[in-house]
Amino acid sequence: MRRTLALTALALLLLVLGGRALAVDLVIEAEETPPESFEIDGEMGGITGEVLKQALARSHVTASIAPVPWQRAYNDALATPQTCAYPTTVTDERLPLFKWAGPLTRNDWVLIGTSEGGIHLDRLEDARRYRIGVYQGDAREDFFRKAGGFQVETVNSNELNLTRLQAGRIDLWAASVYTLWYERRHGAANLKVVLPFRSVTLSLACNKSVPDDVIARLNHAIADLIADGTTDRIEAPYR
């Protein structure tokens, strides 16, 4: 009986210790948006994924990272303790809502058209007469809604925007210049930049419950990655 109790106690102790060993500082949810962020062999990679993984290692911050739909990642980071989302575009409206670690990369927003479409724009205002496809919940949707007067059509997948553009159901696709690179590499040779219209920063957005020390360590590590050229080496293949 005593032996059985002792073994049970030992098993419970190992379970508790194992649970502690598995505990992480952060729960990170990632949007899959190639090539900035996508799953490779069960792990998140891409430009921001690689930078983030190296920053976590250098800062000795532990995290679980999993791909989820963007709107869920954003809402969870907003409402759930110890939770973060990436790659998150930094905007004036979002700045006070989170604690931030970054930049994981810098990016250009572009209006994408097709060679057959024949659209030429000198300024963003000229795009008001065209149907613009955007990803639902994305910062680009917020941008155009706030600007007003644009014919914005939202879908819940960026790949649907590509399909709709190729089929002529939208005239332009508001996306990342990295997205253009990715789609061209995957066979969409007729895509072209019609107009670059904004440069932005992509960072890790964390719930305000995340300790300042954790955020500071991550930011210090990211600064080191930028200073020693690591981020440039990670981004180079995608330019």
Side-chain angles (χ1 to χ4, degrees), residues 176-233:
S176 154
V177 71
Y178 286 128
T179 299
L180 176 67
W181 176 93
Y182 178 83
E183 297 298 352
R184 280 175 170 170
R185 288 289 295 266
H186 288 79
N190 67 331
L191 299 184
K192 67 173 188 176
V193 172
V194 174
L195 185 75
F197 64 95
R198 192 176 186 188
S199 293
V200 297
T201 295
L202 300 179
S203 293
L204 180 71
C206 292
N207 186 269
K208 287 191 170 184
S209 65
V210 174
D212 290 341
D213 172 66
V214 171
I215 298 297
R217 284 154 55 195
L218 283 170
N219 276 314
H220 182 76
I222 293 168
D224 284 348
L225 290 168
I226 294 170
D228 68 18
T230 300
T231 56
D232 283 340
R233 289 191 291 273

Side-chain angles (χ1 to χ4, degrees), residues 3-231:
R3 178 178 173 79
T4 301
L5 289 173
L7 289 173
T8 302
L10 178 60
L12 288 172
L13 177 61
L14 290 173
L15 181 62
V16 171
L17 291 177
R20 287 177 181 171
L22 293 173
V24 295
D25 297 311
L26 301 175
V27 174
I28 298 176
E29 298 181 346
E31 175 193 16
E32 287 201 81
T33 173
E36 295 104 311
S37 174
F38 56 93
E39 192 172 8
I40 307 172
D41 298 327
E43 293 188 0
M44 292 307 296
I47 299 169
T48 58
E50 290 299 327
V51 172
L52 179 58
K53 283 192 291 187
Q54 294 210 29
L56 289 166
R58 290 197 186 192
S59 61
H60 304 291
V61 173
T62 59
S64 65
I65 305 176
V68 302
W70 168 244
Q71 201 64 60
R72 174 182 159 187
Y74 183 88
N75 290 338
D76 285 351
L78 201 58
T80 308
Q82 304 305 114
T83 303
C84 305
Y86 85 95
T88 308
T89 302
V90 181
T91 66
D92 291 340
E93 294 78 15
R94 290 175 174 176
L95 268 176
L97 303 179
F98 302 98
K99 291 183 179 179
W100 296 88
L104 300 177
T105 191
R106 300 187 188 280
N107 195 5
D108 291 328
W109 289 354
V110 294
L111 290 176
I112 299 171
T114 62
S115 304
E116 302 84 358
I119 298 175
H120 301 279
L121 298 175
D122 295 318
R123 55 181 190 158
L124 186 59
E125 288 72 18
D126 296 335
R128 294 180 191 274
R129 63 181 181 270
Y130 297 107
R131 298 164 297 171
I132 301 172
V134 296
Y135 180 32
Q136 188 175 23
D138 185 76
R140 285 172 283 263
E141 179 187 5
D142 295 338
F143 174 85
F144 283 111
R145 300 288 190 202
K146 185 177 179 180
F150 289 93
Q151 302 176 58
V152 176
E153 299 187 14
T154 61
V155 291
N156 59 10
S157 163
N158 241 344
E159 287 303 308
L160 284 176
N161 276 318
L162 173 62
T163 302
R164 287 164 59 81
L165 180 66
Q166 298 284 30
R169 296 174 63 189
I170 56 174
D171 304 304
L172 297 166
W173 177 16
S176 154
V177 71
Y178 286 128
T179 299
L180 176 67
W181 176 93
Y182 178 83
E183 297 298 352
R184 280 175 170 170
R185 288 289 295 266
H186 288 79
N190 67 331
L191 299 184
K192 67 173 188 176
V193 172
V194 174
L195 185 75
F197 64 95
R198 192 176 186 188
S199 293
V200 297
T201 295
L202 300 179
S203 293
L204 180 71
C206 292
N207 186 269
K208 287 191 170 184
S209 65
V210 174
D212 290 341
D213 172 66
V214 171
I215 298 297
R217 284 154 55 195
L218 283 170
N219 276 314
H220 182 76
I222 293 168
D224 284 348
L225 290 168
I226 294 170
D228 68 18
T230 300
T231 56

